[in-house]
Amino acid sequence: TARRHSLDAYKKAFRLIVSEIKGISFAGKFSSRGGSVEWQKRVDAVRLEALKPADIIAWRNKRLRENESDPLARRRAIITTNSTIRNAKALFAKKHLPFIEQTCPLPRPLPFEGITLEKSPSMRYSSKIDPYAILAAARDELSETDPEAFKIIILALYCGLRKSEIDNLLWRAFDFSNSRLKIESSEYHELKSEDSAGDIDLD
């Protein structure tokens, strides 16, 4: 029931947690799924019953303690740790369990049972970039030598598109006669949410 892209993120987060708890260090050829092939095999060999909620809590607390003395580092650690737990925990969401248990008996308690997230710091975004300077530099450096990269910057900064939306944008989305760009799901890409769909006025 999960999208492939989301499922890959869930697995990557869970493997990270398991590897750090069990001391499985990264080494070897990098895989597009996050990690090395040999590293993945070693992590995947860890049985679920060997991972208790107490292990997850201890892993979380250790990560946060390592950044106690630096408020900015602790803030980043809280955000990263919460995100990693949230993604890994999604593998064991109630709606997924019936499908998993058809082929894989699950231990009780589940690894993330009763695990809560740390109180998140404010996520209000405060921009520290100068988009005008970036556009000016891109026009000077890329518009002639690397026009494809220049298009990416235009679509990101002018139109506010995500990377995946840019990568999967189709020519039919452009309505040049009416100066409009239509953002919608296609046969090649599903938008992150329904709120992502809409029309963008083109300068």
Side-chain angles (χ1 to χ4, degrees):
T1 59
R3 293 193 303 169
R4 180 63 178 270
H5 179 76
S6 300
L7 193 58
D8 284 345
Y10 301 161
K11 291 190 291 186
K12 184 178 179 181
F14 190 41
R15 283 190 176 114
L16 173 66
I17 292 173
V18 173
S19 69
E20 292 191 356
I21 288 175
K22 297 299 180 181
I24 303 172
S25 58
F26 175 87
K29 185 179 179 183
F30 183 77
S31 163
S32 61
R33 294 293 170 83
S36 74
V37 175
E38 184 58 36
W39 176 82
Q40 282 191 23
K41 287 180 181 178
R42 293 174 62 201
V43 173
D44 292 353
V46 176
R47 297 185 64 83
L48 285 175
E49 58 259 34
L51 207 66
K52 307 297 183 187
D55 297 322
I56 308 291
I57 293 171
W59 168 84
R60 180 195 64 193
N61 293 346
K62 179 176 181 292
R63 271 198 157 205
L64 298 180
R65 278 199 305 270
E66 288 172 350
N67 297 280
E68 262 181 341
S69 59
D70 183 337
L72 286 178
R74 180 174 172 79
R75 182 182 186 278
R76 288 192 295 268
I78 290 173
I79 293 171
T80 303
T81 303
N82 279 352
S83 175
T84 304
I85 290 175
R86 190 181 297 110
N87 276 307
K89 193 175 183 178
L91 276 175
F92 302 94
K94 284 185 179 179
K95 63 180 181 180
H96 299 156
L97 295 183
F99 298 99
I100 297 173
E101 292 186 308
Q102 287 178 6
T103 55
C104 177
L106 293 175
R108 293 295 187 274
L110 292 169
F112 292 91
E113 199 165 302
I115 302 296
T116 58
L117 301 179
E118 287 291 300
K119 183 179 179 181
S120 292
S122 172
M123 298 296 286
R124 173 181 278 184
Y125 176 68
S126 177
S127 177
K128 294 180 176 62
I129 68 168
D130 184 345
Y132 300 102
I134 292 174
L135 284 170
R139 188 177 295 111
D140 293 341
E141 298 174 23
L142 300 174
S143 59
E144 296 293 335
T145 59
D146 194 347
E148 296 305 307
F150 186 51
K151 288 177 190 175
I152 291 171
I153 291 176
I154 294 294
L155 289 167
L157 285 178
Y158 269 122
C159 302
L161 300 191
R162 297 182 174 93
K163 178 182 181 296
S164 60
E165 293 166 350
I166 295 171
D167 287 343
N168 293 282
L169 198 60
L170 303 178
W171 280 114
R172 68 176 185 235
F174 290 92
D175 180 0
F176 291 114
S177 60
N178 293 304
S179 299
R180 307 281 285 178
L181 172 59
K182 189 172 187 64
I183 305 301
E184 59 185 353
S185 293
S186 71
E187 61 269 36
Y188 304 107
H189 177 64
E190 183 180 0
L191 295 179
K192 187 173 182 180
S193 69
E194 290 300 318
D195 292 338
S196 300
D199 290 351
I200 296 172
D201 291 319
L202 295 178
D203 187 297

